[in-house]
Amino acid sequence: MAWRCHGATNGELIDNLLHARIITHERVAAAMRAVDRAHFAPRNPYMDMPQSIGYGATISAPHMHGYALEYLHEHLQPGMHALDVGSGSGYLSACMASMVGAGGRVIGIDHIPELVQGSQTALERNYPEWVRDGRVQVVVGDGRQGYADGAPYDCIHVGAAAPATPTEMLAQLKAPGRMFVPVGTMSQRIIVYDKDSSGHVTEHKVMGVQYVPLTDADKQRD
């Protein structure tokens, strides 16, 4: 892998991401230092590559989580609200919760109950105060529809590839707000959608990627 951002510890991993200029903001680095990937990744937590977490799901490579937090950092300020679609292991939801603080709220949604239970257990074991104060919550549901009960959101992260522009999620963004999402089927790109204060949406293509598809639970388990 070209990034070479592996580390022997969580701290070394973050140092390498900083050195590679994948993360550049101290708030992002601080959040990733506060949330140890070993609490959420079953093996090789500090290797910069996706890892299977079962049920046809993966925890994304650390550099992709770094990019996501970098692009969303202005919308993860203290007190803001965020949605993490396809939250899987719960790792990125925890990083986002670290950034929004006690007055903020992050909802992670995944359609595999076992993954939601696993992420809930990891959060309660390692960051119990964040669960108690309501800054992070994980729920079972079809993230393709977003999560209307918590809307609107300052930002939305999507951890699986949508086949086309996810209009229902865009409708749940605040104005202004930002969404980071892989889009495409055979050919995928990260697209950042920005909604301005008047509700007008623009998009910016960031990079080519290869994510698992945003699909239903039965197909994901196959």
Side-chain angles (χ1 to χ4, degrees):
M1 178 174 291
W3 304 112
R4 300 186 184 278
C5 291
H6 314 314
T9 66
N10 195 65
E12 284 186 13
L13 171 64
I14 308 313
D15 287 343
N16 290 337
L17 291 169
L18 283 162
H19 182 73
R21 304 291 294 170
I22 289 168
I23 57 176
T24 61
H25 292 89
E26 182 50 41
R27 292 184 65 249
V28 172
M32 295 183 77
R33 292 188 196 281
V35 179
D36 194 325
R37 279 178 66 90
H39 297 152
F40 299 91
R43 55 188 177 276
N44 301 319
Y46 311 127
M47 186 172 289
D48 195 24
M49 62 184 295
Q51 302 284 344
S52 172
I53 54 174
Y55 311 99
T58 61
I59 177 173
S60 295
H63 74 268
M64 287 309 305
H65 283 146
Y67 278 128
L69 294 172
E70 281 285 314
Y71 275 96
L72 296 174
H73 83 278
E74 291 183 0
H75 302 273
L76 289 169
Q77 298 296 320
M80 289 187 170
H81 291 192
L83 177 66
D84 183 17
V85 175
S87 52
S89 70
Y91 169 76
L92 193 68
S93 298
C95 290
M96 296 166 87
S98 177
M99 293 179 73
V100 301
R105 188 181 187 197
V106 176
I107 298 174
I109 183 169
D110 202 287
H111 54 201
I112 304 295
E114 294 91 340
L115 292 179
V116 172
Q117 183 56 58
S119 60
Q120 180 73 27
T121 298
L123 289 165
E124 290 177 349
R125 178 184 299 129
N126 299 291
Y127 309 96
E129 69 281 6
W130 297 359
V131 176
R132 285 196 300 267
D133 69 20
R135 81 175 76 178
V136 63
Q137 173 188 8
V138 286
V139 299
V140 178
D142 188 346
R144 293 174 296 180
Q145 313 302 316
Y147 189 66
D149 287 354
Y153 304 100
D154 293 282
C155 68
I156 298 175
H157 168 268
V158 185
T165 298
T167 54
E168 292 199 41
M169 294 184 214
L170 280 173
Q172 294 175 20
L173 269 183
K174 289 183 182 179
R178 171 172 280 194
M179 178 162 60
F180 180 100
V181 53
V183 178
T185 51
M186 297 299 291
S187 176
Q188 301 173 4
R189 296 189 72 83
I190 293 291
I191 298 182
V192 171
Y193 294 93
D194 282 304
K195 182 185 286 188
D196 66 20
S197 57
S198 64
H200 176 69
V201 175
T202 57
E203 64 179 71
H204 171 57
K205 295 179 175 65
V206 176
M207 69 186 84
V209 290
Q210 189 61 52
Y211 275 65
V212 297
L214 197 61
T215 186
D216 61 55
D218 290 339
K219 288 182 180 176
Q220 181 172 317
R221 288 176 185 271
D222 288 345

